Amino acid sequence: MVPNTPGTKRSCLMKLYRAYDTQSFWQTEKKIRVSLPLTRGPSAFIPEKEVMQANSLNERMHLLVEEYSISGRLDNITQVMSLHTQYLESFLRSQFYMLRMDGPLPLPYRHYIAIMAAARHQCFYLINMHVDEFLKTGGIPEWLNGLEYVPQRLKNLNEINKLLAHRPWLVTKEHIQKLVKTGENNWSLPELVHAVVLLAHYHALASFVFGSGINPERDLNTSNGYRLISVNSFCVCDLANDNNIENASLTSNNFGISDSLSELEALMNRMRRLQEEKEDEEASQEERNTRFEKEKTESLLVVTEAFDDEILSIADVSRYIEDPGFGYKDFARRGEEHLPTFRAQDYTWENHGFSLVNRLYSDIGHLLDEKFRMVYNLTYNTMATHEDVDTTMLRRALFNYVHCMFGIRYDDYDYGEVNQLLERSLKVYIKTVTCYPERTTKRMYDSYWRQFKHSEKVHVNLLLMEARMQAELLYALRAITRHLT
């Protein structure tokens, strides 16, 4: 076995990269060249047969793909999302609208903005997908050389792309004013809202791609059968060492079935107890505020796994972004200037964001609202092997915990429920997928809810994705509102 050292990683990577054949300069050379998938099927985290079995019975999914697919094919994201067909329809309709239907931005701009957004998280899967679509919709090939080749107005999106992706609470009306000020490179407000929706969508979709272990697409136009897209979490040295995914991380979870079952029963008991306590006596507003501050502060202690940036540095995504070292920083970091909490009641999606986005970018508000409501209310009334279970409390805890990490507080929510319902391994997973998605590993995915079905974990990823997108939109749309008033 080859030693797993940084020097070995570099040499393995370079040898594998040299082996790739290129067919055309723009279609292939401008894609990110990284490793082949280590597993078959649409996901590195979910057994192929589980997804394939669901898809084979899903006629509705194939109709949706025919009507709304951007690429005209059944891609791996769609296959994994099809475990929840109701949600998939809302997702595909809204994505198709923002990429293909009438709107303020030209089609090539839309795909280039998607590339810029995906590059903030080194999401090669999405970058390469939209390199293809950018060229198919008439994009200027030279733009793929990097930001220095694009119009200044596109380049001017860098700052808001960076902030929305990593620290959306820093977006202010001054950022908006700078973009829409009079001049040859200015953005109209409808154009800017379209761009912001695309940025938030693809930042959040990158979270889903990494959180669900989405594999590269098969591509008949390349010699090895795969597009040149990254598989997160595993060094390509594993290919050289003939290590498979099971050896790499599955065996790291040596938990017995009885342990998993006891965890499940304990969670069920906590849900029952919380429901009983809520019926007996609700916490005061002061107590709720205190519990939010406690949860926000405790999120600092949720530390993700160590990460070797060297693996990703080989693939050059920096041409699509500026300040690549800028990343998520805990909202509640101690010892720094205190940032005011975003009180959700002061600027809600339902009462403020929805109407603004719909006014400036017709109909997208309805589609986004339908998607948010769909994922939040989606339930099959099951938890692992249990049926007839009300999972509302659990779904709300997941959604609100994401917003808590972004400094958003709901006055009517008791944040004590988060600590009761979300175990530490799940919190680590949520924080990683939401804030540092490129660091997500299969070990993290396997470490929580070990008795739950994969479809239930995909539902978790959908909730995290939409909670993140809504958080970004709330901050951006609030800044636009302040600019207008």
Side-chain angles (χ1 to χ4, degrees):
M1 181 177 290
V2 180
N4 197 16
T5 64
T8 306
K9 288 176 182 175
R10 281 194 295 271
S11 62
C12 289
L13 283 166
M14 296 313 295
K15 287 177 183 176
L16 285 168
Y17 294 160
R18 290 191 201 106
Y20 285 120
D21 291 326
T22 58
Q23 294 193 357
S24 73
F25 181 78
W26 299 113
Q27 288 280 353
T28 304
E29 186 64 24
K30 291 305 173 185
K31 289 182 181 176
I32 306 299
R33 301 184 185 187
V34 281
S35 56
L36 297 176
L38 301 178
T39 59
R40 292 176 57 85
S43 168
F45 296 174
I46 305 170
E48 180 185 19
K49 63 181 180 181
E50 190 158 330
V51 179
M52 294 300 105
Q53 184 177 9
N55 289 346
S56 66
L57 301 173
N58 196 340
E59 292 182 13
R60 179 64 181 156
M61 178 196 67
H62 294 285
L63 293 173
L64 290 172
V65 169
E66 286 180 18
E67 189 168 359
Y68 296 117
S69 173
I70 302 301
S71 63
R73 61 187 292 174
L74 181 59
D75 60 51
N76 289 342
I77 291 176
T78 303
Q79 290 190 66
V80 172
M81 282 189 184
S82 70
L83 293 169
H84 302 282
T85 311
Q86 282 180 289
Y87 170 83
L88 176 64
E89 181 166 2
S90 293
F91 173 85
L92 289 177
R93 286 179 64 212
S94 63
Q95 181 174 259
F96 186 83
Y97 187 87
M98 64 182 79
L99 289 174
R100 284 288 187 269
M101 299 297 284
D102 289 343
L105 294 176
L107 296 185
Y109 265 58
R110 305 180 193 191
H111 293 289
Y112 201 88
I113 290 169
I115 292 169
M116 291 172 66
R120 288 302 326 174
H121 289 303
Q122 301 95 37
C123 188
F124 313 128
Y125 179 98
L126 292 175
I127 292 171
N128 288 341
M129 175 182 288
H130 288 280
V131 164
D132 275 351
E133 296 305 316
F134 171 76
L135 294 171
K136 287 177 184 175
T137 54
I140 298 171
E142 284 76 17
W143 290 12
L144 299 176
N145 286 325
L147 292 176
E148 60 190 275
Y149 295 87
V150 306
Q152 185 61 42
R153 65 198 303 264
L154 258 182
K155 197 173 182 180
N156 289 345
L157 284 179
N158 261 301
E159 185 70 10
I160 200 165
N161 180 28
K162 177 179 79 172
L163 295 179
L164 283 176
H166 306 296
R167 304 176 207 172
W169 53 88
L170 296 180
V171 176
T172 65
K173 69 176 182 180
E174 285 74 26
H175 292 109
I176 305 304
Q177 288 166 351
K178 188 176 178 181
L179 288 165
V180 301
K181 67 181 180 181
T182 304
E184 62 178 322
N185 298 315
N186 73 305
W187 290 76
S188 70
L189 277 174
E191 287 175 331
L192 183 56
V193 167
H194 194 171
V196 161
V197 169
L198 286 166
L199 290 172
H201 176 78
Y202 281 101
H203 295 153
L205 188 55
S207 287
F208 182 84
V209 168
F210 286 115
S212 303
I214 299 298
N215 266 335
E217 300 290 340
R218 287 197 63 86
D219 192 342
L220 300 178
N221 295 322
T222 60
S223 59
N224 54 33
Y226 287 92
R227 294 181 181 222
L228 309 182
I229 304 176
S230 164
V231 176
N232 50 315
S233 314
F234 299 97
C235 173
V236 268
C237 302
D238 290 326
L239 288 173
N241 297 340
D242 197 29
N243 292 341
N244 58 31
I245 198 167
E246 287 76 15
N247 291 336
S249 75
L250 279 177
T251 54
S252 64
N253 276 334
N254 295 317
F255 299 98
I257 293 176
S258 59
D259 295 324
S260 300
L261 287 171
S262 63
E263 279 185 354
L264 174 61
E265 295 302 328
L267 176 58
M268 297 280 291
N269 289 333
R270 289 196 297 274
M271 289 174 65
R272 279 191 288 268
R273 188 176 68 251
L274 283 170
Q275 188 59 47
E276 290 168 2
E277 290 173 359
K278 185 180 290 189
E279 291 170 359
D280 291 341
E281 182 180 1
E282 288 198 3
S284 67
Q285 188 60 58
E286 183 179 0
E287 180 62 24
R288 286 176 177 172
N289 294 350
T290 301
R291 289 174 182 175
F292 170 79
E293 293 300 327
K294 180 182 178 184
E295 190 58 49
K296 187 173 71 172
T297 303
E298 285 184 357
S299 71
L300 286 167
L301 305 176
V302 177
V303 181
T304 60
E305 293 186 3
F307 183 64
D308 187 357
D309 291 316
E310 194 169 0
I311 298 174
L312 292 178
S313 65
I314 299 293
D316 182 19
V317 300
S318 63
R319 63 179 179 264
Y320 297 124
I321 57 175
E322 291 177 352
D323 197 3
F326 188 91
Y328 175 83
K329 200 172 189 178
D330 290 288
F331 179 86
R333 185 174 291 277
R334 281 166 283 195
E336 298 188 0
E337 182 182 354
H338 179 69
L339 291 163
T341 294
F342 187 125
R343 294 181 68 251
Q345 281 67 22
D346 293 340
Y347 194 92
T348 67
W349 164 256
E350 293 81 4
N351 297 330
H352 304 92
F354 167 79
S355 59
L356 177 65
V357 76
N358 227 35
R359 175 159 59 89
L360 293 172
Y361 179 18
S362 180
D363 291 334
I364 192 63
H366 292 292
L367 292 166
L368 293 176
D369 190 62
E370 177 190 318
K371 185 159 62 83
F372 292 149
R373 291 177 186 275
M374 174 62 70
V375 77
Y376 193 84
N377 295 318
L378 183 65
T379 183
Y380 305 94
N381 298 114
T382 60
M383 279 179 60
T385 55
H386 294 262
E387 297 182 350
D388 299 318
V389 181
D390 183 355
T391 61
T392 303
M393 185 180 293
L394 194 54
R395 283 179 276 124
R396 191 173 187 191
L398 290 163
F399 200 91
N400 286 1
Y401 184 58
V402 172
H403 281 198
C404 177
M405 289 189 295
F406 286 100
I408 300 172
R409 184 185 81 212
Y410 293 87
D411 287 346
D412 62 348
Y413 183 67
D414 182 355
Y415 285 86
E417 293 182 12
V418 169
N419 260 340
Q420 291 290 314
L421 298 176
L422 308 184
E423 61 189 74
R424 184 166 183 79
S425 60
L426 176 53
K427 283 185 174 181
V428 169
Y429 178 79
I430 292 170
K431 187 170 184 177
T432 305
V433 169
T434 306
C435 306
Y436 319 94
E438 62 274 17
R439 302 185 185 186
T440 310
T441 65
K442 191 175 191 304
R443 181 168 61 247
M444 290 180 192
Y445 176 89
D446 289 336
S447 68
Y448 81 94
W449 288 4
R450 292 183 292 272
Q451 280 301 111
F452 282 66
K453 303 172 190 135
H454 287 288
S455 62
E456 291 171 312
K457 291 193 171 189
V458 170
H459 189 183
V460 169
N461 287 337
L462 296 176
L463 278 163
L464 303 185
M465 173 175 70
E466 296 299 350
R468 177 183 178 177
M469 182 178 183
Q470 191 178 100
E472 289 190 28
L473 286 177
L474 284 173
Y475 278 110
L477 295 173
R478 183 181 68 169
I480 293 172
T481 299
R482 287 176 172 175
H483 161 71
L484 290 170
T485 54

